[in-house]
């Protein structure tokens, strides 16, 4: 009996020892696997941040998703953030209608579900869980919709779908879906960053036709909108910009600016900006640029453009101010906040002569300077500015059926505190939270009408109505050291690269939000060009009015 107990104790001891050894080896293996995975993730994150092209970035993003298990999340359509059942049902219905050749059924499905945020599939959290994209179901749905639209556009004429009916369907669907505007905001030398944003969108066929610029963003928007699609690649490389106006001003900048303040009261020389913009833009008007490229250029003006009897629109484009010279509008957009001397708008009269814009307006008192229309008869400008309906971007939405904005924010006093549209930025979350809190408090003070105009102009961003995607540069302390520098070829290349990299993480989201819109726009133009007699409903209405 004693020997049996001893044998049992020895056996239990060896079982315990064996279990302990196995547990230790299992923990060591798990620890080594975890270390290896973490090392792989760090290497892929380094590869992601150092990618030179979007293709390199996308490959690293997909590998990073696999290493972190996020590819499983993408493959699983289930999420409480959006109505995945409805998206799946509509996708299957579209595929069935196309396979059966049910044209009318396909048309009804498309027109009834042509919403940018159908089923809440544009929810921000659906684009922050993965580096490479969102739910595969959403991406498949967008591809199915665009394929169905292409199928309808390429159908030969038939009694079921005659040419004019097809054109009307595409036009009405395009109108109901809405359009996107790219907004370029700010700021000093950081404004060169906008070129990279435009380049990244253009190379992925995601550049909107409607571009709005403020401050330095207005200068970049003007340069973009005077170039055709064939000319843009040469400009976007950064070497197609004439910077001779800044030649010889690289040294002694701080001393020169200090002397200018003492002499003129202004920190910066607007004359240099005028020479630079005119050298690149020439004397093109808004209407001439639109006829040349079909891009819609919008330039916003600040509130301190003067006071007087006539009105200057707060938003300049080929509809509101068709004959205004673009370079003067871009410079006037920068001449706010006391940094530059005020700029007079110039335009071409009916004889093609360049004259002051105010001379073509009625009811101008001699010696007076007009104010923008959005500030006239406004006893509380700060409250008016806070009203979304008074924003120049709201006017863009009204004029061009815009319900979606892509914002490129480069203002040095705003960008560091803004959380971008993705969650993979390397910037400190503490500063983002601090910036959000400060902006919230300032907006509360502004709502009460207690924030001075100068402070509001610099610290309160413009109100942008509707759905937005915001991209900001990933700024470091060294970037602020070059804030007051004049641009040169090397600096342009640096900021172009920074702008491109800020767009890559949101390409998937932009494709979901804008893929159908751009497909509709392209197909409508193609179908319209194939039909010499094809007219949109608005054109037919104008023709009937003219005949009557």
């Amino acid at each position: 009996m004693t020997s049996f107990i001893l044998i049992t104790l020895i056996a239990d001891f060896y079982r315990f020892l064996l279990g302990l050894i196995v547990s230790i080896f299992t923990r060591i293996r798990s620890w080594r696997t975890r270390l290896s995975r973490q090392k792989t993730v760090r290497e892929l994150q380094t590869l992601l941040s150092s990618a030179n092209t979007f293709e390199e970035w996308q490959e690293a993003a997909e590998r990073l998703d696999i290493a972190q298990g996020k590819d499983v999340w993408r493959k699983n359509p289930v999420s409480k953030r959006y109505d995945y059942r409805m998206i799946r049902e509509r996708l299957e219905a579209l595929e069935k209608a196309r396979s059966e050749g049910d044209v009318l059924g396909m048309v009804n499905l498309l027109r009834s579900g042509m919403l940018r945020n159908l089923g809440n599939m544009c929810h921000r959290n659906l684009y922050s869980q993965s580096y490479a994209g969102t739910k595969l179901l959403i991406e498949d749905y967008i591809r199915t919709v665009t394929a169905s639209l292409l199928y309808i556009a390429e159908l030969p004429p038939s009694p079921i779908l005659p040419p004019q009916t097809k054109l009307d369907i595409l036009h009405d669907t395009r109108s109901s879906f809405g359009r996107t505007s790219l907004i370029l905001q700010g700021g000093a030398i950081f404004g060169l960053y906008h070129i990279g944003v435009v380049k990244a969108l253009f190379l992925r066929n995601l550049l909107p036709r409607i571009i709005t610029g403020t401050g330095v963003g207005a200068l970049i928007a003007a340069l973009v909108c005077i170039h055709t699609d064939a000319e843009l690649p040469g400009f976007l490389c950064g070497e197609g910009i004439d910077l001779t106006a800044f030649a010889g001003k690289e040294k002694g900048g701080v001393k020169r600016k200090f002397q200018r303040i003492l002499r003129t009261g202004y920190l910066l020389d607007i004359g240099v900006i005028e020479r630079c913009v005119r050298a690149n833009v020439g004397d093109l008007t808004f209407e001439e640029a639109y006829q040349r490229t079909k891009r819609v250029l919008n330039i916003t003006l600040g509130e301190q453009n003067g006071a007087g009897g006539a009105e200057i629109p707060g938003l300049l484009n080929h509809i509101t101010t068709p004959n205004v010279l673009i370079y003067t509008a871009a410079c006037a957009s920068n001449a706010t906040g006391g940094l530059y001397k005020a700029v007079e708008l110039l335009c071409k009269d009916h004889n093609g002569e360049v004259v002051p814009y105010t001379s073509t307006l009625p009811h101008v008192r001699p010696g007076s300077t007009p104010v923008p229309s959005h500030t006239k008869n406004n006893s509380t400008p700060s409250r008016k500015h806070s009203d979304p309906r008074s924003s120049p971007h709201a006017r863009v939405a009204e004029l061009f059926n815009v319900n979606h904005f892509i914002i490129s924010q480069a203002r040095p006093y705003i960008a560091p505190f803004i959380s971008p549209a993705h969650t993979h930025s390397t910037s400190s979350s503490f500063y983002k939270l601090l910036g959000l809190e400060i902006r919230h408090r300032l907006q509360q003070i502004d709502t009460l009408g207690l924030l001075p105009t100068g402070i509001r102009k610099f610290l309160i961003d413009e109100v942008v109505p509707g759905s937005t995607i915001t991209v900001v540069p990933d700024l470091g302390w060294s970037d602020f050291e070059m804030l007051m520098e004049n641009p040169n070829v090397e600096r342009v290349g640096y900021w172009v690269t920074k702008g491109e990299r800020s767009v890559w993480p949101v390409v998937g989201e932009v494709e979901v939000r804008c893929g159908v819109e751009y497909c509709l726009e392209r197909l409508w133009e193609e179908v319209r060009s194939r039909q010499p007699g094809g007219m949109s409903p608005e054109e037919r209405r104008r023709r009937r009015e003219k005949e009557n």
Side-chain angles (χ1 to χ4, degrees):
M1 186 68 180
T2 304
S3 60
F4 176 76
I5 295 175
L6 182 62
I7 292 172
T8 302
L9 289 174
I10 293 173
D12 289 342
F13 173 75
Y14 277 110
R15 279 197 297 269
F16 168 76
L17 185 61
L18 179 61
L20 181 62
I21 293 172
V22 169
S23 176
I24 291 173
F25 273 105
T26 301
R27 288 177 179 274
I28 291 174
R29 185 174 61 183
S30 175
W31 175 69
R32 293 184 63 182
T33 301
R34 187 166 61 252
L35 286 181
S36 176
R37 186 182 298 113
Q38 290 175 351
K39 181 181 178 182
T40 301
V41 168
R42 286 195 299 269
E43 291 174 349
L44 289 173
Q45 287 175 335
T46 301
L47 188 62
L48 197 73
S49 61
S50 61
N52 294 316
T53 64
F54 174 75
E55 288 71 23
E56 292 179 3
W57 187 93
Q58 184 71 13
E59 181 183 358
E62 291 174 353
R63 292 172 58 189
L64 190 55
D65 278 351
I66 294 173
Q68 296 183 329
K70 294 180 178 180
D71 59 319
V72 178
W73 177 86
R74 295 188 68 198
K75 294 175 183 177
N76 181 13
V78 178
S79 174
K80 63 180 181 180
R81 302 297 184 185
Y82 77 115
D83 191 344
Y84 63 92
R85 295 184 182 87
M86 181 182 68
I87 299 297
R88 184 166 52 196
E89 290 172 359
R90 296 191 69 87
L91 185 151
E92 293 172 352
L94 281 171
E95 290 180 340
K96 180 181 179 182
R98 187 170 55 171
S99 64
E100 296 176 353
D102 184 4
V103 178
L104 295 181
M106 194 182 308
V107 169
N108 290 332
L109 282 168
L110 289 171
R111 299 187 73 170
S112 63
M114 199 53 64
L115 299 173
R116 195 183 300 272
N117 192 26
L118 180 68
N120 206 31
M121 64 181 180
C122 291
H123 194 285
R124 187 55 47 79
N125 285 358
L126 292 172
Y127 301 88
S128 61
Q129 304 300 318
S130 166
Y131 288 88
T134 185
K135 296 287 189 180
L136 295 182
L137 174 63
I138 295 176
E139 297 177 358
D140 290 341
Y141 175 74
I142 297 299
R143 282 192 290 268
T144 301
V145 170
T146 54
S148 300
L149 290 169
L150 183 62
Y151 176 85
I152 291 173
E154 293 181 344
L155 281 175
S158 66
I160 298 178
L161 197 65
Q164 187 60 52
T165 301
K166 182 191 299 184
L167 188 65
D168 290 347
I169 290 171
L170 290 173
H171 175 271
D172 294 344
T173 307
R174 174 172 171 257
S175 298
S176 65
F177 193 87
R179 305 181 74 185
T180 298
S181 174
L182 173 64
I183 299 178
L184 308 180
Q185 293 185 338
I189 197 169
F190 291 3
L192 298 174
Y193 154 87
H194 298 310
I195 302 176
V197 172
V198 172
K199 181 180 180 181
L201 293 173
F202 177 75
L203 293 179
R204 302 300 303 169
N205 295 318
L206 296 172
L207 180 64
R209 284 281 172 184
I210 305 170
I211 301 179
T212 305
T214 302
V216 176
L219 308 180
I220 305 302
L223 292 173
V224 172
C225 289
I226 67 168
H227 290 89
T228 63
D229 286 349
E231 297 168 342
L232 264 184
F235 161 70
L236 295 175
C237 69
E239 298 178 358
I241 305 176
D242 186 351
L243 298 175
T244 54
F246 295 97
K249 299 182 181 297
E250 292 81 6
K251 298 181 180 180
V254 176
K255 180 181 179 181
R256 185 171 58 250
K257 290 177 176 61
F258 181 72
Q259 292 174 343
R260 185 182 299 116
I261 291 177
L262 296 178
R263 186 176 66 256
T264 66
Y266 297 100
L267 177 64
L268 302 174
D269 184 5
I270 193 64
V272 176
I273 301 295
E274 284 183 308
R275 291 192 295 273
C276 178
V277 181
R278 192 174 188 183
N280 289 279
V281 177
D283 288 341
L284 283 175
T285 66
F286 282 93
E287 177 65 24
E288 291 168 345
Y290 175 75
Q291 293 299 332
R292 185 174 189 274
T293 67
K294 297 304 178 184
R295 300 187 196 280
V296 177
L297 170 63
N298 298 283
I299 292 179
T300 66
L301 296 185
E303 295 182 10
Q304 51 271 63
N305 281 279
E311 292 187 3
I312 293 179
L315 180 74
L316 310 181
N317 53 45
H318 71 281
I319 294 178
T320 60
T321 53
N323 298 321
V324 168
L325 300 187
I326 292 174
Y327 89 87
T328 64
C331 292
S333 183
N334 281 270
T336 57
L339 295 179
Y340 295 99
K341 182 181 178 181
V343 174
E344 182 179 32
L345 291 179
L346 301 178
C347 71
K348 292 182 180 179
D349 62 13
H350 61 280
N351 294 320
E353 298 293 330
V354 176
V355 297
Y357 176 69
T358 54
S359 68
T360 65
L361 299 176
H363 312 301
V364 181
R365 297 193 301 270
S368 66
T369 306
V371 295
S373 58
H374 66 284
T375 62
K376 189 180 180 184
N377 297 328
N378 178 22
S379 58
T380 56
S382 59
R383 296 191 186 193
K384 180 75 172 176
H385 184 82
S386 300
D387 186 354
R389 295 168 296 180
S390 69
S391 166
H393 303 302
R395 183 63 173 150
V396 171
E398 295 172 356
L399 288 174
F400 304 108
N401 191 32
V402 172
N403 59 4
H404 181 247
F405 295 88
I406 302 174
I407 304 174
S408 175
Q409 178 59 266
R411 287 174 171 163
Y413 46 87
I414 293 179
F417 305 108
I418 289 183
S419 295
H422 52 87
T423 60
H424 310 306
S425 173
T426 59
S427 301
S428 170
S429 59
F430 170 76
Y431 291 108
K432 303 296 182 186
L433 292 174
L434 177 63
L436 289 173
E437 179 63 22
I438 293 174
R439 293 177 68 209
H440 174 65
R441 298 304 177 188
L442 287 172
Q443 286 169 352
Q444 286 181 322
I445 297 173
D446 185 37
T447 302
L448 297 173
L450 302 177
L451 198 64
T453 302
I455 297 178
R456 171 166 42 83
K457 175 62 183 175
F458 280 97
L459 298 181
I460 299 295
D461 204 6
E462 289 104 335
V463 178
V464 179
S467 177
T468 63
I469 296 177
T470 302
V471 293
V472 295
D474 194 1
L475 299 170
W477 290 111
S478 58
D479 294 323
F480 286 90
E481 294 176 359
M482 63 180 80
L483 187 58
M484 300 304 294
E485 291 183 0
N486 288 318
N488 54 53
V489 176
E490 291 76 18
R491 291 302 187 209
V492 171
Y494 171 82
W495 286 103
V496 168
T497 300
K498 192 176 283 286
E500 286 187 87
R501 288 176 174 167
S502 71
V503 172
W504 294 341
V506 298
V507 163
E509 185 175 2
V510 175
E511 287 177 341
V512 170
R513 289 175 174 240
C514 304
V516 173
E517 172 193 341
Y518 297 158
C519 178
L520 279 167
E521 189 166 337
R522 184 180 68 256
L523 293 177
W524 184 71
E525 293 290 348
E526 290 177 359
V527 171
R528 188 184 181 194
S529 65
R530 292 199 300 262
Q531 298 173 213
M535 293 184 293
S536 68
E538 284 86 354
E539 291 171 323
R540 290 206 304 273
R541 177 180 56 79
R542 287 196 295 267
R543 183 172 180 177
R544 286 196 301 268
E545 291 175 353
K546 185 177 180 181
E547 290 174 350
N548 293 334

